[in-house]
Amino acid sequence: MTPIAARPSRSVRLMYSLSAAALLAAVSLASTAHAGIVPVSAAQCAQMKARKVITPANPVPCSRLATVSFDYTDFDGAVRNGSVVVLDAVAPQVESLFGELLLRSVPIAGAQPLEHFDGDDEKSMAANNTSAFNGRPMTGGGGWSKHAYGAAIDINPLQNPYVTKAGTAQQEVLPPASAAQYVQRAPVQAGMAEDVVGAFYDHGFLIWGGNWKQPIDYQHFEIGSREFIRKLATLPKPEARAEFERYVARYRSCAHKNEEAHAPAADSDDDAPEDTSLRDSCAARLRR
């Protein structure tokens, strides 16, 4: 089991901004949190097939998938348990990612694998469900979604909708319940992806759909190019995990190389906007 209190993406910033009491609380929370990684079992695979989450045509078989379970904070402040299914090569980083979101009390509405929704992405979105693997084509067609490789995560779809033809009379928002409150992205509200882009980047998910022009997919994070994902899926699991860890390490080396030198002073404004320029330039340069 990978320790849930793995290195957070803004550890230096947290060191300077958290009080000693808050740090002790974070350590206490980490020590009691439940997380784990297990291969997708034969029984779970059978259920996934029965619920149309995976088919024999899927580019990644059940044998290369893992279930990552984790604790998360819901929108009422309660700690609950959830899980996502991902490519085995990225599972340790996904476990660490959700561990960081727990330590930061980032709210998540729910997290269940797609068999609970019969593989129906719109049903999952309507339930505000955070998810990963789904053996489906890309929305609108054109090949396999990166979800079909277990290499993409959707977080809090209600707060982070999928928007097509934004700003036009033909604009469509999924889930529809998001339209009234969450298409406008400022100010950032609880559960919005803008608050966790750095955390996802720091764990290898270097592409955020909120940066896309058409469609805009605020809930969606993915790890990189199809070529890189196929490489991870083709390599034996130990080699694939090592390759992905190198990918993560290269980003962190770039994005955090000047972090200590630019750590905020003790009397600085904690509410000042985070400088994301280095983070974003590193992600753009290193993702592949």
Side-chain angles (χ1 to χ4, degrees):
M1 180 184 297
T2 304
I4 196 167
R7 175 185 181 274
S9 65
R10 293 192 290 176
S11 56
V12 174
R13 186 179 180 90
L14 288 172
M15 185 194 316
Y16 283 88
S17 61
L18 287 177
S19 66
L23 284 170
L24 287 173
V27 171
S28 176
L29 179 59
S31 67
T32 58
H34 299 88
I37 300 169
V38 296
V40 165
S41 66
Q44 184 179 2
C45 184
Q47 187 180 39
M48 291 166 70
K49 291 176 180 177
R51 298 298 180 88
K52 300 181 175 60
V53 178
I54 191 169
T55 69
N58 198 83
V60 173
C62 286
S63 60
R64 289 304 308 272
L65 298 173
T67 298
V68 178
S69 61
F70 52 88
D71 284 349
Y72 64 89
T73 305
D74 70 13
F75 279 79
D76 294 321
V79 176
R80 303 189 180 277
N81 186 256
S83 65
V84 293
V85 174
V86 295
L87 183 67
D88 55 14
V90 308
Q93 286 295 335
V94 171
E95 184 186 27
S96 294
L97 165 63
F98 282 103
E100 179 174 343
L101 300 187
L102 174 66
L103 290 175
R104 289 171 51 183
S105 297
V106 173
I108 294 174
Q112 294 181 300
L114 262 292
E115 53 264 35
H116 292 269
F117 302 92
D118 298 317
D120 189 322
D121 192 46
E122 291 193 24
K123 284 184 181 178
S124 179
M125 284 193 285
N128 203 12
N129 183 58
T130 292
S131 64
F133 179 82
N134 191 9
R136 63 174 177 82
M138 289 187 294
T139 302
W144 290 105
S145 165
K146 291 183 181 177
H147 288 286
Y149 295 86
I153 296 173
D154 289 341
I155 185 168
N156 290 338
L158 177 65
Q159 287 76 25
N160 302 295
Y162 175 89
V163 184
T164 58
K165 300 179 181 178
T168 72
Q170 293 77 40
Q171 176 174 286
E172 182 179 8
V173 179
L174 294 175
S178 299
Q181 188 174 355
Y182 296 110
V183 173
Q184 298 300 321
R185 307 304 292 176
V188 174
Q189 302 177 61
M192 282 187 168
E194 284 84 345
D195 208 28
V196 296
V197 173
F200 273 87
Y201 282 7
D202 215 43
H203 293 279
F205 288 78
L206 300 183
I207 297 174
W208 177 41
N211 287 328
W212 297 346
K213 302 300 182 184
Q214 172 60 31
I216 307 172
D217 199 353
Y218 292 108
Q219 66 199 253
H220 182 87
F221 291 89
E222 59 186 55
I223 69 170
S225 70
R226 293 179 186 279
E227 181 181 359
F228 181 55
I229 292 168
R230 291 189 189 107
K231 179 180 180 180
L232 294 178
T234 302
L235 288 171
K237 182 172 74 172
E239 295 177 30
R241 282 189 173 178
E243 179 68 19
F244 190 63
E245 291 298 328
R246 287 191 289 270
Y247 178 74
V248 171
R250 283 192 290 270
Y251 167 77
R252 289 182 177 178
S253 178
C254 175
H256 301 297
K257 61 184 177 182
N258 296 320
E259 194 172 59
E260 291 192 31
H262 293 86
D267 59 349
S268 65
D269 181 4
D270 288 340
D271 294 326
E274 181 184 4
D275 182 359
T276 61
S277 56
L278 177 61
R279 175 197 79 186
D280 292 343
S281 65
C282 289
R285 181 156 56 89
L286 295 173
R287 62 187 174 221
R288 56 182 176 86

